[in-house]
Amino acid sequence: MKNKSFSGKCEILPSLFAAPPLHLANALQKIEASGYRSVHFDIMDGHFVPNMSFGPEVVTAAREEFPSLFREVHLMVSHPPHWIESFYQSGAQRIFIHLEIEPAILQQSIQLLQQKNIPWGFAIHPETSLESLQAYISWLHQTDRLLVMSVYPGFSGQSYLSQTDERISFLRKHFPFLSLCVDGGLGSEHIQRLQTYGASSFVVGSCFFKTENNSACCGF
Ligand code: DX5
Ligand code: ZN
């Protein structure tokens, strides 16, 4: 089977949060059967975002039942240090923390992630100023990639925020070393266009789980 996670140089990561909540195993089967190689787990604490999703036990189950799928965890939580150990134990292979959390907790989270030697990155809210990233340049050089939200964090099924095009172009120009991942509201036309602006990986939820022919939505 053609591995469709990478088409050319770009990577598609289906978001399990957008799958039917009572059919997560089927959803993981669909990801695997569709030739994708990674799963994006959206973790929400009902505090950083006004929603809740699932816990580390879902990542553990995915590791046990679908060991070949790469497990990326997007922590939309105010206090990542409470969660990093349990998601590390559950088999998270990359963890994103939000740049917008309390600075002291951000520092503590990064130290923990580095102690655990887990590939990690920042996720940034659509309203976070890109100029402000300059202050984090040394940390940015230690990250695996930057997760650029193209919807407001907390819900799948939202519409793509068009200002993301410009944000990706700005990031590509001013932070050329960063690997850029876009997350939220994506369809194939966004993916095709954002690749030309410099993004190389894409989290897809609704377009993957809510359309029959998901290759049409993801463009591959
Ligand atoms: C939103 C999440 C996204 C979302 C993607 O907070 O971070 O990963 O679930 O789903 P769609 O593609 O439907 O926006
Ligand atoms: Zn996400």
Side-chain angles (χ1 to χ4, degrees), residues 35-49:
Y36 293 104
R37 225 170 52 174
S38 307
V39 196
H40 179 87
F41 293 88
D42 287 306
I43 307 304
M44 304 176 190
D45 64 357
H47 183 260
F48 182 77
V49 291

Side-chain angles (χ1 to χ4, degrees), residues 15 40-42 74 76 147 149 183 203:
S15 161
H40 179 87
F41 293 88
D42 287 306
H74 175 191
M76 284 165 272
L147 190 69
M149 299 298 298
D183 182 7
V203 176

Side-chain angles (χ1 to χ4, degrees), residues 15 17-18 40 42 44 74 76 149 151-158 183-186 203-207:
S15 161
F17 181 60
H40 179 87
D42 287 306
M44 304 176 190
H74 175 191
M76 284 165 272
M149 299 298 298
V151 293
Y152 288 94
F155 299 88
S156 70
Q158 300 175 72
D183 182 7
L186 296 176
V203 176
V204 291
S206 307
C207 95

Side-chain angles (χ1 to χ4, degrees), residues 2 8 27 32 43 64 84 93 118 141 162 165 203 210 219:
K2 177 171 173 293
E32 203 168 53
I43 307 304
E64 288 165 358
I84 288 168
Q93 293 168 289
I118 307 175
H141 276 291
S162 56
D165 287 15
V203 176
K210 299 200 169 72

